[in-house]
Amino acid sequence: GQLSALMIIGVWTEAQYLATQVVRRYPDQILSDRIGEQKIILNDLIMLASPYCGKDTEFTALCKELQKVKDAYRDVRITYTLGEPVSVEKDGGLVIEQTETSVVEMTNEQLSDIIDVTKEIRDRLISNN
């Protein structure tokens, strides 16, 4: 379980790093919103890691770093509008499309903080220090 949690957190961290580096170089509102929505996933990752946070020094450090990311997301607001699924025929098959929407309220400063903390943590993880 501990190794699986570590792998999931590592994959998320790398994907978050790549997305934040792209949005830093090529600002895009849709990508910024997807990064903002990661606040929800991050909470799930913290719950996934919590049973292992006191097991060894490396995992304890990782849990502290996840908390730093959570702190950067603290004031990011996400609101959802639920919608009814719609059945649509595409390429001869039935496809169910979701019609829910989300609105991410995140300032450029908040995004910059998320980018910085993500880079800091990712750099530490790949440097093995």
Side-chain angles (χ1 to χ4, degrees):
Q2 184 174 352
L3 182 57
S4 295
L6 191 58
M7 289 170 59
I8 292 167
I9 293 166
V11 167
W12 180 86
T13 302
E14 186 66 14
Q16 177 82 345
Y17 169 77
L18 292 172
T20 57
Q21 294 307 298
V22 169
V23 84
R24 172 174 269 167
R25 180 170 267 185
Y26 306 103
D28 179 81
Q29 189 60 49
I30 294 172
L31 184 54
S32 294
D33 288 349
R34 296 300 82 80
I35 291 167
E37 289 172 347
Q38 293 305 301
K39 177 179 184 176
I40 297 163
I41 304 302
L42 178 61
N43 288 328
D44 293 340
L45 292 176
I46 290 171
M47 286 190 331
L48 177 68
S50 65
Y52 310 108
C53 286
K55 299 269 185 190
D56 61 44
T57 57
E58 191 63 28
F59 231 106
T60 300
L62 179 61
C63 291
K64 288 178 183 177
E65 289 176 338
L66 288 174
Q67 191 59 49
K68 286 182 189 177
V69 179
K70 184 176 181 176
D71 291 345
Y73 273 103
R74 179 176 295 126
D75 295 325
V76 173
R77 302 283 178 244
I78 305 166
T79 54
Y80 292 97
T81 303
L82 297 178
E84 292 294 320
V86 176
S87 301
V88 179
E89 184 181 334
K90 284 190 179 177
D91 298 326
L94 185 62
V95 176
I96 307 296
E97 293 182 350
Q98 299 297 327
T99 59
E100 65 188 27
T101 60
S102 65
V103 176
V104 177
E105 297 175 36
M106 179 172 57
T107 66
N108 288 336
E109 183 179 319
Q110 290 167 330
L111 178 59
S112 181
D113 290 345
I114 292 166
I115 291 169
D116 293 343
V117 74
T118 299
K119 182 178 183 336
E120 172 189 321
I121 291 166
R122 190 265 190 177
D123 288 350
R124 188 198 72 78
L125 289 173
I126 65 167
S127 71
N128 200 19
N129 289 326

